[in-house]
Amino acid sequence: MSKPRPAAAWAKTWQRSFHALTRHALGAGSRSVKQSLRPVLARAKAKARPPPGAGDWLSGVVMGPAGVRGFKLFRPPGITLGERLPLLVMLHGCGQDARSFARSTRMNGLASRERFLVLYPEQDRVSNLHGCWNWFDTDSGRAYGEAALIMQAVDQVCLLYPADRARVGVAGLSSGASMAAMLATRYPTRFKAVVMHSGIAPGSAHSGLSAIGAMHGHRSHRRPVASAVITSQSWPPLMVIQGRADAVVVASNGQAAAQQWAHAGGAHPRAGRSLQRGNRYPMTVTEFKHQLATVATLVEVERLGHAWSGGAAKQPFSDAQGPDASRMAWAFVAKQFRT
């Protein structure tokens, strides 16, 4: 009797057979087979390519009581020995992952030019079928577990890569924006700045059902988790970018987030400034100041729906006609690094 073949040998045999069958089908000129294989091969080829940006696209993983989460890290080229770069944490929204979020925002290209690291934590589809961060699930504690995993990813990157712990910012879209705000209130001393794009303020929901209500402007008005423990003045400065035509997360959420930060920091709004760059959607910028310090900045974009403003064309959750949110976010974060 012949000995059973190792699993690796079977895998190689299957792989050779699959490639042989594919070559035969394509060589035979079968139009239907070619047409059916092309989108599959195109998707595989696209996933194999790193998002745009002249640098390294690295993978990592963290684990804890809340489970396991993967992450991607973009590292710009030309880092010298002993150099420490700023770190921007980018949290994707529902229906996205690290790769699609990087493509949509084009943050890697900006990081190559401005020289900073970009960390993209990824939500697990087992934890949320749609890939949303469970920022709202505070009653069960799942939201805090996910926040802790993201902080583990930050710590791992700061330990293994040339990231400056003193210059870390966080930004997010939709559920990622809400999780970014939770991180900022839960770990306020770890971040110099936070950017919420189309998100919901902390404490606005505590379950899946109340999160849906909050998206439509019906908030539970709970206090942020950290506000009872840490003085509000220690929260990092906030930038909110919100589309006025957003039917998923209505515009009042952006106003509520900025006002929450302003109230916590004893700040008051200044007169809004109307701006428009070229043919992009116009926007109104309102700053909330405490003495000379800007506690929160609210950017309301006309005609923008639930999408990253100024993102790459033909990408999901991206609107190329809006003002460039990536540039605005980085300029805001970088300014806080200098103060």
Side-chain angles (χ1 to χ4, degrees):
M1 178 180 289
S2 60
K3 295 182 179 179
R5 300 177 67 184
W10 282 114
K12 289 182 179 179
T13 301
W14 179 88
Q15 192 176 40
R16 284 196 299 268
S17 300
F18 173 78
H19 289 312
L21 179 62
T22 303
R23 287 195 301 270
H24 174 75
L26 293 174
S30 171
R31 183 171 298 177
S32 61
V33 173
K34 285 181 180 180
Q35 290 175 344
S36 64
L37 283 175
R38 276 175 183 155
V40 176
L41 295 174
R43 284 194 298 270
K45 186 177 180 180
K47 294 202 82 171
R49 290 196 302 265
D56 299 319
W57 184 246
L58 309 169
S59 298
V61 65
V62 291
M63 62 184 66
V68 179
R69 297 294 186 278
F71 65 82
K72 299 293 184 183
L73 177 70
F74 177 77
R75 183 174 59 185
I79 300 175
T80 59
L81 185 64
E83 185 179 12
R84 290 283 170 180
L85 300 183
L87 174 65
L88 179 61
V89 183
M90 290 284 286
L91 299 174
H92 64 75
C94 301
Q96 295 180 309
D97 57 16
R99 190 178 300 274
S100 62
F101 195 38
R103 287 188 179 280
S104 172
T105 62
R106 297 180 292 190
M107 192 61 79
N108 292 356
L110 186 59
S112 290
R113 294 190 295 274
E114 300 293 333
R115 296 187 55 73
F116 60 94
L117 298 162
V118 192
L119 170 62
Y120 298 91
E122 285 190 315
Q123 174 62 303
D124 185 75
R125 293 301 174 114
V126 174
S127 298
N128 189 290
L129 182 62
H130 302 290
C132 309
W133 295 99
N134 295 304
W135 60 272
F136 51 83
D137 203 352
T138 54
D139 283 353
S140 71
R142 183 162 59 163
Y144 310 140
E146 290 185 2
L149 284 171
I150 294 170
M151 292 310 303
Q152 278 187 248
V154 173
D155 289 338
Q156 187 177 128
V157 167
C158 290
L159 178 65
L160 300 179
Y161 300 97
D164 185 351
R165 288 180 178 272
R167 292 185 293 166
V168 180
V170 59
L173 172 66
S174 192
S175 69
S178 302
M179 181 57 81
M182 169 172 278
L183 288 171
T185 56
R186 194 163 175 80
Y187 306 95
T189 61
R190 298 295 306 277
F191 299 99
K192 286 290 188 180
V194 56
V195 179
M196 295 177 64
H197 194 317
S198 310
I200 300 168
S204 299
H206 54 88
S207 65
L209 186 62
S210 59
I212 294 173
M215 290 163 63
H216 292 89
H218 308 295
R219 289 170 288 278
S220 69
H221 301 291
R222 288 192 179 186
R223 297 174 70 192
V225 176
S227 62
V229 181
I230 300 172
T231 58
S232 55
Q233 285 78 6
S234 67
W235 291 0
L238 169 72
M239 170 176 273
V240 176
I241 302 172
Q242 176 67 50
R244 282 184 169 161
D246 194 334
V248 178
V249 175
V250 298
S252 63
N253 283 290
Q255 298 161 6
Q259 288 167 0
Q260 183 187 89
W261 240 257
H263 177 74
H268 301 281
R270 300 293 175 90
R273 295 175 289 120
S274 296
L275 302 171
Q276 186 171 13
R277 291 165 181 161
N279 294 322
R280 293 178 182 266
Y281 300 149
M283 60 182 171
T284 301
V285 180
T286 305
E287 292 185 323
F288 296 78
K289 286 184 174 288
H290 174 69
Q291 296 178 355
L292 297 178
T294 300
V295 174
T297 300
L298 173 62
V299 181
E300 297 174 287
V301 183
E302 300 290 342
R303 304 199 297 275
L304 178 67
H306 195 65
W308 188 268
S309 183
K314 299 180 181 179
Q315 291 290 321
F317 309 106
S318 179
D319 189 338
Q321 294 301 308
D324 194 334
S326 294
R327 286 185 178 275
M328 286 191 290
W330 172 247
F332 178 78
V333 172
K335 181 180 178 180
Q336 312 313 317
F337 290 159
R338 294 191 294 269
T339 58

